[in-house]
Every structure is written in C-alpha cells, then in structure tokens.
C-alpha cells in the first residue's frame, strides 16, 4: 500500500455523451480496485456525486474528459478542468473527435440558432432545472482547450484504456505495471513509458496504421457489386467485409482496437478516427468503395450509388467536427 | 471590378485533356482565365481526396478531364474515374457542395474547342453559384 500523499489526484468527467467511457473505466473489473491504490478520484460526479467545489482544493494530476462540447455548460467544464489539472486527457471518440453528438453539425446553422433560444442557462422561477444553452456547433475537446493526450474509441477498448490510465496515472509505479501498459501501445509511446517519461504531449493512444493492418479477415480481390447494410444477411466466410459489400471503414480508421469488431463480422464504424496518413476519411472511403465498383456502365454505377444512404453520417460518424475537411472548424475559445 | 472570379482546379489527363488544353491555347480559342490546371498522368489517379482537398483549400469548382472511355492510355484508368464520380458527388452534395461545382468530362486531344467551351461554361455557371464556403450548409442532405 502506498502512502496517501503519493496518490495521484484523478478527475473524471463527461460533457455531452452517453457516459459509456466512464462506464468503461468501471468495466476495468479487478483493475478498478487497483486504481484506488495509486489514484485518488477527487472529482467524479457520475460515480461519487462530487460537486464542482471539490476542484478548488489544489491541482488535479490527471483529468479524464469524455463527451462532446455541445452546451455552454460543457465549455465551462472544459475550461475549468483545463485550468485545474496538470494533464488533460480526451477519452473516447466524442472528446477526441467530436463523436456522435457532433453529427448535429450537419444540420443547418439556422436550426441550431432556433435551439439556442429555447435553452436558458439559469433555472426558471418554479425551480425546475432547464437545459443549458446549446453551442452553435458540437466540438471536440481540443477545439476548446489544449489537450495533452487522446484515448480514442467508442468507448475506448478496455486494454487500451487501462494501459493509458496506467501510463499516465501510475508513473513511477511498479515495472510490471508499466510493461503491461507498454505492451498495448505503439512502439514510440511504449518506449517513452518504459524509460519512465511521459509520452510526447498530443500523443494519441492508438496504432499508426489502419484497422485493416490488424484485421484477421482474408482479403482477396475487391469487387463492389452490391451495397449491404449490417442488418442484412451475408455469408460468414471469413472474407474481408468490404469485399462482401458491407461498408467497413477499416481502411480509413486508425488501428489500436485490434480489429475486434471486424473479427466477429461487424463492419468497422470508425470510432478511432482517421489513420494519420489519411487526409479526409470520407474521401478515402469514397475512393476505397467506388473504384472497385463491379461495372463499366454509367447507368449501372448510378443505380449502385442509389443504394448508399447518408454518406456523411456514415463516413464521419465519430469525427465530423474535427476531421471532415469540408466543414469549417471554429477557432479555439 | 468587384465581380466574383471563381477559382477552378482542373486535373487534366496527360494524354488527352491536357493536350487539348495546350492545343486550345495554340489555336487561340478564347478561354476564361479562372482555371488552374494540374497535369496528372491519368484521370484514374485523381483520388477523391484530391478533389475534397481542393474544395477544402478554397476552390470554387473542380474539373477532372480524361480520355473518352475506350481511349485510355492505361486501358481502364478513366473507367476508374467514372466509377468514383457518382459516389463522390453524393458525398459532396451532402456536405453542401453544389452539383455543378464538380465535373468529370471526357475531352480527347483532338477537341481543343470542346475544352475551351467546357471551361467557359463552367466558369460562368460557378460565377452564378457564387463562392464556395465551407461554412455554408445547404439542406440538400437526404436521410433515408
């Protein structure tokens, strides 16, 4: 048992999001007890009901921030946590890239304004709580404040989340713990941790290649003859899902998950954001799918394209506010 | 002098459309000066990312020019371009890029007048649409 003064102070918070990332921390099973030995969760409203005042008692070492910045309250929370913590970590696709709530940015700006007027930031006369005022756009954490580390995923996979928590919270703890963390991270990050230093600021706790790199499916010749959606029946032959006509976004998505979805026949949805070498995930997916259309006839191709629905919502499902190059991104602050 | 001058990026295939563009100049066809030509080996190498990047970097229109189907120097490169265009158009439409802003045209080396006509038409049509702004979201997105 380590002495209380050696414990790292930990803050965990979710802005606009489903809280599956916080649930993910609880889902670390036995390790979550372990977490209590070397970290002191001084601020965790979801689990401990901590009030915001708790943050005023000295600086927090590591703050894990999940969720999209969608309301005025979210922005205040991000600013407050940035101010009061040493390391701010964006956990989950929402905080890292904008996530599903960020898809609201596809709607017309005038619609967002209409929503803005209905909300008010104070409670009304009868003491009923009202919704906080909506921001004009959903944003990822790094579009509002400086972010030190990013742990992507929806929610981040257990291994990765635990490895990241170990690496950042458990600095200077036992070598066994560190090697556990290092084994699950990209080489450069792992080397830094093994050497006892923090990885470079801005590091994303994910792989360097695309999901296809760690996907176990058999890749043969790609011919896209029909567009299927995941609920439609298909033959489980162990072949690449994209080759079978399912929109699998593994080609455009950053590795790190270990291909767990594609391994059980579920097409990749892109929750790790785009791979570093890719300019725009939507354009990459259009290229990956359409250049292998199994037709030379313009009419047939047009008919095939008719089958595709909601391209923007599919290709930028988790990353619209930050990684879609056709959408103007607002300045910080 | 305040009239809007559209910026058009043209990806021209080395074997057909680029030769046509060259010949259009030599033949002294009147052309709008709004096109920035980029010579590529084949229309089939124009990745959708290039087109998206052009729009993201401030282009008001993008033209991809290739050989007529069957005439490709690399046998089927232009067919690849043809396959990509409809799906890319759909994505661009959802992101608020109007249909007229992106075009795929077959212009053979022997058709310089066709090249001049295409860019003159395109410039005027985009001028009517106005500048492309990434912030402008149109309601063209359909959810099925």
């Amino acid at each position: 048992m380590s002495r209380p003064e050696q414990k790292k102070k930990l803050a965990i918070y979710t802005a606009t999001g489903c809280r599956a990332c916080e649930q993910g921390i609880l889902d670390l099973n036995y390790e979550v007890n372990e977490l209590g030995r070397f970290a002191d969760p001084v601020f965790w409203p979801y689990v401990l009901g901590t009030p915001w005042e708790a943050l005023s008692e000295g600086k927090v070492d590591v703050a894990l921030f999940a969720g999209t910045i969608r309301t005025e309250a979210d922005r205040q929370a991000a600013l407050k946590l940035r101010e009061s913590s040493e390391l701010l970590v964006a956990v989950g696709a929402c905080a890292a890239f904008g996530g599903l709530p960020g898809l609201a940015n596809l709607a017309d700006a005038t619609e967002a304004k209409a929503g803005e007027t209905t909300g008010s930031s104070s409670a009304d006369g009868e003491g009923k709580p009202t919704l906080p005022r909506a921001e004009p756009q959903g944003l990822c954490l790094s579009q509002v404040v400086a972010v030190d580390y990013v742990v992507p995923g929806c929610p981040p996979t257990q291994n990765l989340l635990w490895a990241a928590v170990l690496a950042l919270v458990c600095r200077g703890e036992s070598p066994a713990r560190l090697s556990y963390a290092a084994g699950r991270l990209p080489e450069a990050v792992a080397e830094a941790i093994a050497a006892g230093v923090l990885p470079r600021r801005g590091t994303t706790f994910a792989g360097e290649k695309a999901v296809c790199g760690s996907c176990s499916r058999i890749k043969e010749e790609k011919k896209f003859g029909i567009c299927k959606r995941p609920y439609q029946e298909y033959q489980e032959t162990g072949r690449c899902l994209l080759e079978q006509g399912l929109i699998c976004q593994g080609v455009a998505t950053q590795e790190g998950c270990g291909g767990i979805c594609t391994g059980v026949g579920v097409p990749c949805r892109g929750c790790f954001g785009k791979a570093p070498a890719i300019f725009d995930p939507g354009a990459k997916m259009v290229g990956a799918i359409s250049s292998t259309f199994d037709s030379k006839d313009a009419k047939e191709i047009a008919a095939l394209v008719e089958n595709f629905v909601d391209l923007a919502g599919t290709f930028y499902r988790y990353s619209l506010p930050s990684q879609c190059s056709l959408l103007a991104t607002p300045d910080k602050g | 002098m305040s009239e809007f001058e559209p910026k058009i990026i043209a990806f021209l295939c080395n074997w057909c459309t680029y030769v046509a563009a060259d010949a259009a100049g030599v033949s002294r066809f009147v052309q709008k000066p709004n096109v920035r030509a980029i010579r590529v080996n084949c229309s089939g190498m124009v990745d959708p990312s290039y087109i998206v990047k052009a729009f993201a970097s401030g282009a008001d229109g993008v033209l991809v020019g290739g050989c007529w189907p069957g005439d490709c120097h690399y046998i089927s490169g232009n067919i690849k371009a043809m396959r990509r265009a409809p799906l890319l158009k759909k994505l661009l439409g959802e992101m608020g890029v109007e249909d007229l802003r992106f075009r795929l045209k077959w212009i053979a080396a022997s058709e310089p007048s066709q090249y001049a006509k295409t860019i003159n038409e395109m410039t005027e049509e985009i001028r009517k649409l106005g500048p492309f702004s990434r912030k402008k979201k149109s309601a063209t997105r359909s959810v099925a």
Side-chain angles (χ1 to χ4, degrees):
Chain A
M1 287 285 281
S2 48
R3 287 187 302 277
E5 61 266 28
Q6 286 176 327
K7 280 189 183 182
K8 292 275 189 323
K9 285 185 181 171
L10 191 64
I12 302 170
Y13 183 74
T14 297
T16 296
C18 64
R19 298 186 188 275
C21 297
E22 294 190 43
Q23 205 66 52
I25 295 166
L26 293 175
D27 277 348
L28 292 170
N29 298 331
Y30 298 117
E31 282 88 352
V32 83
N33 294 334
E34 192 103 331
L35 187 64
R37 276 193 217 149
F38 54 82
D40 184 16
V42 290
F43 180 72
W44 197 352
Y46 177 54
V47 173
L48 308 172
T50 337
W52 277 101
E53 289 75 44
L55 278 180
S56 51
E57 299 159 13
K59 224 162 178 174
V60 173
D61 291 301
V62 180
L64 305 177
F65 193 101
T68 311
I69 312 295
R70 188 71 188 99
T71 67
E72 210 171 57
D74 296 341
R75 183 181 284 274
Q76 294 308 324
L79 292 171
K80 177 82 181 153
L81 277 164
R82 173 71 278 185
E83 189 193 345
S84 54
S85 38
E86 202 66 47
L87 294 177
L88 182 63
V89 188
V91 177
C94 291
F97 318 116
L100 289 171
L103 284 178
N105 296 2
L106 278 174
D108 208 302
T110 50
E111 289 169 38
K113 279 219 177 81
E116 214 176 52
T117 51
T118 56
S120 96
S121 45
S122 62
D124 65 18
E126 290 162 29
K128 287 182 198 158
T130 50
L131 288 170
R133 188 192 289 267
E135 295 265 323
Q137 278 184 306
L139 300 173
C140 72
L141 186 59
S142 65
Q143 285 169 326
V144 178
V145 292
V147 171
D148 296 311
Y149 298 102
V150 177
V151 185
C154 187
T157 50
Q158 280 187 19
N159 281 349
L160 204 64
L161 186 61
W162 179 233
V165 166
L166 273 184
L168 300 174
V169 180
C170 176
R171 298 193 303 272
E173 283 283 325
S174 75
R177 284 195 188 132
L178 288 178
S179 71
Y180 178 96
R184 276 151 187 83
L185 292 169
E187 212 178 325
V189 183
E191 274 175 15
I193 295 165
V197 293
L198 279 175
R200 190 167 55 85
R201 296 274 164 125
T203 295
T204 300
F205 283 85
E208 285 148 341
K209 294 179 189 158
V211 171
C212 296
S214 52
C215 171
S216 54
R217 293 192 160 259
I218 304 155
K219 287 111 188 159
E220 291 167 6
E221 199 196 349
K222 219 170 265 171
K223 283 274 179 213
F224 214 91
I226 183 171
C227 166
K228 283 184 193 162
R229 300 177 78 181
Y231 65 86
Q232 286 169 315
E233 202 186 338
Y234 73 99
Q235 291 281 315
E236 180 52 284
T237 56
R239 265 189 76 192
C240 165
L241 296 167
L242 193 62
E243 286 173 13
Q244 296 184 62
L246 286 148
I247 302 178
C248 174
Q249 295 187 65
V251 232
T253 305
Q254 194 165 23
E255 169 194 55
C257 56
I260 45 175
C261 295
T262 57
V264 293
V266 177
C268 173
R269 288 154 58 95
C271 68
F272 269 57
K274 71 176 181 71
I278 287 164
F279 172 70
D280 184 281
K284 175 71 189 174
M285 282 310 296
V286 166
I289 292 171
S290 62
S291 43
T292 58
F293 277 162
D294 195 11
S295 170
K296 288 184 176 180
D297 181 67
K299 275 189 189 144
E300 270 180 40
I301 294 168
L304 188 54
V305 167
E306 281 297 305
N307 288 324
F308 290 85
V309 287
D310 191 18
L311 292 183
T314 307
F315 298 156
Y316 304 111
R317 189 184 271 125
Y318 295 100
S319 58
L320 189 81
S322 62
Q323 296 183 343
C324 174
S325 54
L326 287 170
L327 200 75
T329 45
D331 297 326
K332 240 178 233 180
Chain B
M1 221 18 237
S2 62
E3 198 185 15
F4 160 62
E5 287 296 341
K7 277 194 204 85
I8 298 171
I9 304 295
F11 294 97
L12 306 177
C13 132
N14 180 42
W15 307 98
C16 290
T17 317
Y18 189 82
V19 181
D22 197 15
V26 174
S27 320
R28 306 202 178 263
F29 286 117
V30 177
Q31 299 172 51
K32 301 282 176 194
N34 300 56
V35 173
R36 278 78 166 155
I38 296 173
R39 181 162 68 161
V40 292
N41 264 349
C42 179
S43 54
M45 67 151 284
V46 182
D47 192 283
S49 306
Y50 299 178
I51 295 154
V52 167
K53 190 164 188 174
F55 281 116
S57 318
D60 301 303
V62 175
L63 170 73
V64 178
C67 309
W68 282 90
D71 287 352
C72 179
H73 187 79
Y74 306 100
I75 299 165
S76 62
N78 53 359
I79 304 294
K80 281 204 167 68
M82 185 177 88
R83 288 188 184 123
R84 284 182 196 130
L87 196 64
L88 179 61
K89 264 205 169 164
K90 194 163 184 170
L91 177 72
L92 290 175
E94 290 181 9
M95 296 311 300
V97 182
E98 292 88 343
D99 198 44
L100 291 171
R101 292 192 192 271
F102 167 59
R103 284 173 211 204
L104 175 66
K105 272 271 183 188
W106 310 134
I107 302 169
S110 56
E111 298 177 308
S113 62
Q114 188 61 36
Y115 173 80
K117 194 173 157 233
T118 302
I119 65 161
N120 288 343
E121 274 177 14
M122 200 171 166
T123 307
E124 284 318 312
E125 280 165 10
I126 292 175
R127 202 194 298 279
K128 274 185 209 140
L129 284 177
F132 169 64
S133 142
R134 289 197 292 163
K135 276 174 199 143
K136 202 170 73 186
K137 289 277 147 285
S138 64
T140 51
R141 183 170 172 270
S142 63
V143 176

